[in-house]
Amino acid sequence: MNIKVVRGNPTPEELAAALAVVRFRAAAASATPSGAGAPRDAWSDPSRIAAHRVPAPGPASWTRTYWPS
C-alpha cells in the first residue's frame, strides 16, 4: 500500500495518525464475514409476533386474538 501526501506538510505524528486510521479501516473491511447479510427465516423473526396491534380488551376480544387486523 502506497500513501502519498498531495498537499501540505504533515508532521510525523499527523502522518502516523492518518496511517493508523487507514490501516484500521482496511483491517475492519477485510475481517467482515461475507455471509453476514444472509436473510433470516421469517419464522424466527421476533418482530413477526409484535407486528400487529394487540386487540383492545372487551367482551369479544378473545375472538380477535389470533386474527390479523
Side-chain angles (χ1 to χ4, degrees):
M1 172 178 7
N2 294 329
I3 296 179
K4 180 179 178 182
V5 177
V6 178
R7 291 186 187 157
N9 189 14
T11 64
E13 293 82 13
E14 292 171 336
L15 195 56
L19 183 59
V21 169
V22 169
R23 291 183 76 184
F24 176 77
R25 295 286 305 260
S30 66
T32 304
S34 61
R40 292 179 20 171
D41 187 13
W43 287 103
S44 64
D45 187 12
S47 66
R48 177 183 62 87
I49 298 168
H52 304 289
R53 187 170 172 234
V54 178
S61 64
W62 65 273
T63 61
R64 300 183 310 260
T65 304
Y66 293 107
W67 294 99
S69 55

